[in-house]
Amino acid sequence: MKNKFSLMLLSCLVLISATAQKKVSELTLVYNAKVTTGNAEPRMADAFDGATTTIYLKGNMSRSEMVSALFSSTTIHDANAGSAVVLREVSGQKLLIRMKDEDWQKKNAKYNGMLFKNTGEIKEIAGYKCIKATAIMSDGSAFFVYYTTEIIPDNKEYDYHFRNLNGLPLEYELTQKNLTIRYTISRISMNPVPASKFDIPTSGYREMSYEESKKTKADGK
């Protein structure tokens, strides 16, 4: 009976939210990261715990910045062209990695075929009604996500994890190596995003291709 009531409540929520959806072409999202489980090296945990991820959306362009005490990584992605540029800064070393569409697809191939199944659980996050879903990957692994259907980005390609999600993720957990990291929204802004956010640096970075960056990782450099 309880499950039946939850499903009825969820159905009503989805119906109401569908009429209240707001599609947006410009959006700024800030998430806080917290390590919840894992037995990785303390340095790896420190690299993610307390980090912030800021996402800027403007039309077909997106910029995702993760900043922690130990490193920073920024990805600028053009959804129309499929290409991306990754900017990394670790221990004073600054790298610029160019990715073609095929590189982008290869990097994210493990997320193809991901399915989202609503659980019937709902809660409010940052003032938005959120539905809890289980994301099931093609390899059988899974993670949870709370998403709202009240805000729908025009650009669904900004995060490959959620390109098929019918809403905006406000809280979710991802596993990276031996760590489980929970990302929770801390700020949402629908103000215009400056076009300069998507400018690519022309100096100050060591530039390499995606294939070269993979070899660098393999060599431990």
Side-chain angles (χ1 to χ4, degrees), residues 101-158:
D101 180 48
E102 52 264 40
D103 299 328
W104 183 256
Q105 298 297 328
K106 187 185 302 183
K107 178 178 182 293
N108 293 292
K110 62 182 177 181
Y111 305 120
N112 287 332
M114 184 182 294
L115 299 175
F116 294 95
K117 293 187 176 181
N118 292 334
T119 65
E121 183 179 336
I122 60 173
K123 75 173 180 178
E124 186 172 297
I125 302 175
Y128 293 92
K129 297 288 186 182
C130 292
I131 303 164
K132 184 179 183 180
T134 301
I136 304 171
M137 297 173 60
S138 57
D139 64 0
S141 60
F143 63 91
F144 82 81
V145 55
Y146 284 94
Y147 69 97
T148 180
T149 58
E150 296 177 43
I151 302 175
I152 306 293
D154 283 339
N155 179 2
K156 298 295 290 291
E157 299 292 327
Y158 76 94

Side-chain angles (χ1 to χ4, degrees), residues 83-102:
S83 58
V85 169
V86 178
L87 308 173
R88 289 184 185 152
E89 187 167 354
V90 183
S91 303
Q93 185 180 27
K94 300 172 73 173
L95 302 177
L96 187 155
I97 303 164
R98 294 192 180 273
M99 301 178 69
K100 297 175 289 188
D101 180 48
E102 52 264 40

Side-chain angles (χ1 to χ4, degrees), residues 19-201:
T19 61
Q21 284 183 355
K22 182 173 184 178
K23 295 201 74 174
V24 295
S25 61
E26 301 197 46
L27 191 63
T28 300
L29 307 167
V30 181
Y31 294 88
N32 292 331
K34 179 178 177 59
V35 175
T36 58
T37 62
N39 55 1
E41 297 178 1
R43 181 176 175 82
M44 186 184 297
D46 290 343
F48 288 98
D49 206 17
T52 60
T53 295
T54 304
I55 297 170
Y56 302 95
L57 301 178
K58 187 180 185 72
N60 63 291
M61 300 299 297
S62 64
R63 177 187 178 106
S64 177
E65 303 174 350
M66 172 173 271
V67 178
S68 78
L70 299 180
F71 78 99
S72 67
S73 180
T74 296
T75 300
I76 300 172
H77 181 247
D78 183 338
N80 284 351
S83 58
V85 169
V86 178
L87 308 173
R88 289 184 185 152
E89 187 167 354
V90 183
S91 303
Q93 185 180 27
K94 300 172 73 173
L95 302 177
L96 187 155
I97 303 164
R98 294 192 180 273
M99 301 178 69
K100 297 175 289 188
D101 180 48
E102 52 264 40
D103 299 328
W104 183 256
Q105 298 297 328
K106 187 185 302 183
K107 178 178 182 293
N108 293 292
K110 62 182 177 181
Y111 305 120
N112 287 332
M114 184 182 294
L115 299 175
F116 294 95
K117 293 187 176 181
N118 292 334
T119 65
E121 183 179 336
I122 60 173
K123 75 173 180 178
E124 186 172 297
I125 302 175
Y128 293 92
K129 297 288 186 182
C130 292
I131 303 164
K132 184 179 183 180
T134 301
I136 304 171
M137 297 173 60
S138 57
D139 64 0
S141 60
F143 63 91
F144 82 81
V145 55
Y146 284 94
Y147 69 97
T148 180
T149 58
E150 296 177 43
I151 302 175
I152 306 293
D154 283 339
N155 179 2
K156 298 295 290 291
E157 299 292 327
Y158 76 94
D159 191 325
Y160 214 92
H161 296 88
F162 304 117
R163 60 204 296 258
N164 296 320
L165 182 67
N166 185 33
L168 183 70
L170 298 190
E171 183 175 303
Y172 55 95
E173 281 191 348
L174 296 178
T175 299
Q176 299 194 19
K177 294 186 178 180
N178 294 322
L179 295 178
T180 300
I181 307 163
R182 178 174 296 182
Y183 297 88
T184 305
I185 198 74
S186 64
R187 185 168 69 88
I188 301 174
S189 172
M190 285 175 266
N191 292 331
V193 176
S196 58
K197 285 290 182 184
F198 311 99
D199 290 344
I200 309 300

